[in-house]
Amino acid sequence: MHVRSGWGALAALVAAGTALLTGCQSAPGDGAGAEGGADGRGAESPTAPRPSGYGAVFLAVDECSSFGRTSFTEVSCASERAAARVVARHDGTVRDGPRCPATTDFVLHISEQRPSSDEDGDGAVPRGYACMRHLQPPHPGDPGGGGGPRTIVGDCVYDLGDGRVRETACDGSGRQEPEFEVTKAVGTRSDCPASTALYVRLGGTTPVGCARPV
């Protein structure tokens, strides 16, 4: 499975093939593998329930990933290896699908795979994306946090020129000092207050961010 973080916030390329998926399925204590018969003939009932929780579906909502951006595994959220939790999970692409929650820290894009064995036993992992939130601070997706896939009210940006801006931490801890803070999200520029010095594209139902100098 190939995973990469998207929307220009954080990039990750993950190579996790059939061995990884099988490992998630048969991890101790997750209930996976209980459907097969002891004689190896696979005495599986068509009405037998699928395992729930960790390992049932790759990176389902409320499941966790381990540390690492170039490679990671799905792990129990109670594990000391757990680093981030899935707050939303959607099939398809970010461009065509629902937006992640506002305080999402980063997004993992999951390429479609059809291995011989996967978490839920149907032989396929659909293309999709997972909206992730770190289990521990810092949270770049929080207002003023300096990162995350979405720019929201309370975030700070600096001017790149040519009408482009980039998000940075409002407390000055980022590589670039903040120049503007988004104070309001509105439908059109005319709805911004008179103190607005910069308009920031936010997307969604209130696509215009009204920013003032800091």
Side-chain angles (χ1 to χ4, degrees):
M1 181 175 301
H2 297 285
V3 184
R4 62 187 186 277
S5 65
W7 288 344
L10 296 169
L13 178 61
V14 178
T18 303
L20 169 61
L21 300 176
T22 305
C24 291
Q25 185 178 17
S26 59
D30 65 0
E35 296 175 342
D39 58 1
R41 291 179 295 179
E44 179 179 343
S45 169
T47 59
R50 291 179 177 177
S52 61
Y54 160 54
V57 176
F58 184 70
L59 289 182
V61 172
D62 286 333
E63 292 180 350
C64 293
S65 66
S66 65
F67 291 91
R69 292 297 179 83
T70 56
S71 64
F72 73 95
T73 57
E74 180 184 297
V75 297
S76 167
C77 290
S79 169
E80 63 181 11
R81 298 176 57 215
R85 185 188 301 271
V86 181
V87 295
R89 175 75 153 82
H90 304 289
D91 291 338
T93 65
V94 170
R95 181 184 299 273
D96 300 324
R99 305 181 80 199
C100 282
T103 56
T104 298
D105 286 332
F106 63 98
V107 178
L108 297 179
H109 297 256
I110 303 170
S111 299
E112 182 177 12
Q113 297 289 320
R114 297 185 178 276
S116 59
S117 175
D118 70 347
E119 294 85 353
D120 58 9
D122 67 359
V125 177
R127 185 180 186 183
Y129 56 99
C131 310
M132 308 296 294
R133 174 89 172 165
H134 293 306
L135 295 180
Q136 301 293 333
H139 293 289
D142 282 351
R150 292 180 56 182
T151 301
I152 58 178
V153 172
D155 280 340
C156 292
V157 299
Y158 63 95
D159 190 2
L160 290 173
D162 298 326
R164 297 175 300 132
V165 297
R166 180 167 294 169
E167 191 175 333
T168 189
C170 287
D171 62 6
S173 61
R175 293 184 178 181
Q176 297 288 336
E177 290 291 324
E179 297 178 351
F180 303 91
E181 180 181 355
V182 179
T183 59
K184 191 174 183 180
V186 297
T188 63
R189 291 188 176 190
S190 61
D191 294 328
C192 284
S195 60
T196 300
L198 182 74
Y199 302 101
V200 180
R201 182 181 300 173
L202 304 181
T205 57
T206 51
V208 179
C210 314
R212 61 172 179 81
V214 296

